[in-house]
Amino acid sequence: MKRMIQLLLIGTLITACSDDPTAPAGDGRATFSMRLSSSTGSAAKSVLSSATAETLFSVTDLSGTVFSIKEARTSVRHIQFDFPDGVADTLSEDKISIDGPFVINLMTGESNPVIGEFTIEAGLYKRIDVRLDDSKASDGLVDSSDALFENTLVVSGNFDYDNVTGRSYSIILKFNEDVRFEEPGGILIDENALNNVVLNLLVDEWLQGIDITSCLDDGDLMLDDEGNLLIDDSSSGGGKCKDIEGIIKSNIKNNYDLDD
């Protein structure tokens, strides 16, 4: 999947004066958000939608079963802006970090606590690293009854199966991973603009190579007593469904973008 970066710049765009365009050039202002996205383009409408907005995303397994996404939240430990190697050699620090933890609603881009506007050295950055990590009791952001408690990512919604419409499903995953967003030409933080940095997690290929429908048909995945589906690290599938949660986890971690 091609990884692209685009910054949304609000304000007057003026190129900072410097002999080295990659070097820090004073302070800039920025905001940060991370959300789901889709290559269809319709997902971009979700960035300012409310937490109760209608579903704008769905994923499809190999059998063509559509899984709508109504909730998606993740736990973030920190966000780091990394300077290029040549610039980093001249600075006391080679990166700027926004320390969490944060819980980010990937449907809306909203975070808890609110990240808000922050000051960051202007210049050209090599990449942005986001550390996805399991939430902890000491974070104080989710309680023990929350599906995200001691987990990293929660995705839930509805699907139709075996002539029953609107079954519920949940995907609950635990992992600790840096997700890297980078652009060959670098990521410019302008000194004279409000730089709205929006990171997108592309949903298109989250179920790539996975046939949940066949797993259910074959009894390798089981519905609960209410006819709903839970996929997590304790899911016990057999055959081709043995590592279904691991494949989903890999697909999610390896498909991302930075876009408007």
Side-chain angles (χ1 to χ4, degrees):
M1 174 71 64
K2 183 179 180 182
R3 293 158 191 174
M4 302 170 57
I5 288 186
Q6 181 176 353
L7 295 183
L8 306 181
L9 301 178
I10 298 178
T12 304
L13 302 184
I14 304 175
T15 302
C17 296
S18 172
D19 293 335
D20 181 359
T22 67
D27 289 335
R29 296 178 300 124
T31 64
F32 175 90
S33 65
M34 185 166 67
R35 56 176 170 84
L36 297 189
S37 185
S38 170
S39 62
T40 63
S42 60
K45 299 176 183 177
S46 71
V47 66
L48 296 178
S49 61
S50 69
T52 57
E54 293 296 320
T55 301
L56 295 177
F57 306 97
S58 62
V59 289
T60 305
D61 72 2
L62 288 177
S63 287
T65 299
V66 176
F67 293 78
S68 67
I69 300 176
K70 293 185 176 294
E71 175 196 21
R73 292 179 295 139
T74 191
S75 174
V76 171
R77 190 60 46 188
H78 59 244
I79 303 146
Q80 292 182 337
F81 290 71
D82 288 49
F83 285 113
D85 294 337
V87 174
D89 293 341
T90 67
L91 303 172
S92 58
E93 300 289 341
D94 61 359
K95 63 189 68 175
I96 293 175
S97 181
I98 302 171
D99 294 325
F102 304 104
V103 170
I104 297 182
N105 183 332
L106 296 174
M107 302 296 288
T108 66
E110 298 169 342
S111 68
N112 177 31
V114 175
I115 296 174
E117 184 179 312
F118 55 92
T119 300
I120 184 172
E121 287 184 270
L124 194 67
Y125 289 82
K126 178 172 60 176
R127 66 173 184 261
I128 301 172
D129 293 345
V130 179
R131 169 69 69 164
L132 303 184
D133 194 7
D134 52 295
S135 65
K136 298 174 173 59
S138 58
D139 296 342
L141 297 179
V142 296
D143 60 39
S144 58
S145 64
D146 193 307
L148 192 60
F149 185 73
E150 297 186 344
N151 291 300
T152 306
L153 180 70
V154 172
V155 179
S156 62
N158 300 105
F159 72 110
D160 301 340
Y161 173 70
D162 196 24
N163 297 317
V164 176
T165 60
R167 295 181 188 269
S168 296
Y169 78 90
S170 293
I171 299 172
I172 303 174
L173 302 176
K174 181 176 182 176
F175 56 92
N176 187 321
E177 186 81 10
D178 276 339
V179 180
R180 294 185 168 180
F181 300 79
E182 51 191 333
E183 165 71 17
I187 307 164
L188 178 64
I189 297 295
D190 195 292
E191 183 181 7
N192 299 286
L194 175 60
N195 302 269
N196 290 325
V197 181
V198 181
L199 309 187
N200 294 329
L201 294 176
L202 297 175
V203 302
D204 301 60
E205 298 183 10
W206 279 14
L207 295 183
Q208 183 179 23
I210 296 172
D211 197 338
I212 293 176
T213 307
S214 290
C215 291
L216 290 170
D217 289 343
D218 297 340
D220 291 328
L221 276 180
M222 303 297 294
L223 300 174
D224 65 18
D225 292 340
E226 297 180 352
N228 301 318
L229 176 64
L230 170 64
I231 296 175
D232 61 11
D233 287 343
S234 64
S235 298
S236 56
K240 61 186 178 183
C241 309
K242 184 176 182 180
D243 190 33
I244 191 169
E245 74 281 356
I247 298 172
I248 294 174
K249 187 185 300 183
S250 178
N251 287 343
I252 289 174
K253 290 189 295 184
N254 292 325
N255 288 281
Y256 46 85
D257 197 9
L258 200 162
D259 208 324
D260 63 349

